[in-house]
Amino acid sequence: MSEGVKLVCADCGQANRVPAAKLASGPKCGVCGARLIDGSVKALDAKTLSKLTKTDDLPLLVDFWAPWCGPCRMMAPEFAKAAKALAPHARLAKIDTQENPEAAQRYGIRGIPALILFHKGREVARLAGARPAADIEAFVRSKVKVPA
Ligand SMILES: [Zn+2]
C-alpha cells in the first residue's frame, strides 16, 4: 500500500498521509510544519478532537483533564511516558474539559481524568482515574494491535 497512514495534524487540523516507513522519523504536517507523531502528548480542542477521532488510521488515546484536577496533573507525566513508549504506533493527546466542555459532554465524561481510546473512527474502550504509565501502555496494548 503506497497510500500511507492518515494522521490529522493536532495543531491545524489538516489531514496528512504519511508513508508507514516514515512514521518513526518525526513526520511533519504538510501545511503548518508541526510534528504529527513524535512521542509527545498533543493538546486538542473540541474541533481537532472530532477530526482526529474520525480520520486517524493510528490508535488515538485521549486524556480528558482539567487544570483544577489534582489527579489529572499527577497523571500528566505518566501519560507523557506512555506516549513515548507507544510512539510511533499510537498517538496520545489531551483535551482540557474546562476549555472544551462540549467535548466532555459529547463523550459523557462524568469524572476526570478519563481516558478514551479511539481507533478506525470509533471509540474502542475507556479507562477511568489516574494511572501509572505502565497501566496506560498496557491498556492500549490490550485493546488494539500495537507492535512491541
Ligand atoms: Zn498542521
Side-chain angles (χ1 to χ4, degrees):
M1 292 257 295
S2 58
E3 282 197 327
V5 178
K6 260 186 292 168
L7 284 178
V8 173
C9 175
D11 292 74
C12 75
Q14 173 67 36
N16 287 260
R17 279 184 187 279
V18 179
K22 291 212 168 138
L23 279 176
S25 48
K28 289 179 181 168
C29 172
V31 171
C32 76
R35 289 200 189 276
L36 294 168
I37 180 163
D38 60 359
S40 68
V41 176
K42 307 286 185 185
L44 304 177
D45 58 25
K47 216 171 126 192
T48 46
L49 171 68
S50 162
K51 267 195 128 169
L52 264 71
T53 56
K54 280 188 204 133
T55 311
D56 273 23
D57 283 331
L58 291 182
L60 172 74
L61 181 65
V62 180
D63 174 19
F64 290 76
W65 75 289
W68 49 262
C69 160
C72 297
R73 292 199 308 270
M74 273 172 49
M75 189 179 73
E78 297 297 310
F79 197 68
K81 265 190 242 171
K84 278 207 176 73
L86 290 163
H89 308 299
R91 282 208 291 184
L92 273 63
K94 60 181 179 179
I95 184 159
D96 181 341
T97 55
Q98 192 176 309
E99 276 179 25
N100 301 279
E102 68 271 40
Q105 199 176 21
R106 184 168 169 207
Y107 291 102
I109 303 292
R110 295 208 186 108
I112 51 172
L115 304 179
I116 303 185
L117 179 64
F118 299 93
H119 195 205
K120 298 187 196 289
R122 66 181 69 163
E123 176 179 333
V124 176
R126 294 186 179 210
L127 189 64
R131 309 280 176 158
D135 282 16
I136 297 167
E137 192 187 337
F139 167 69
V140 172
R141 290 187 185 281
S142 71
K143 301 294 179 188
V144 290
K145 250 192 162 176
V146 179

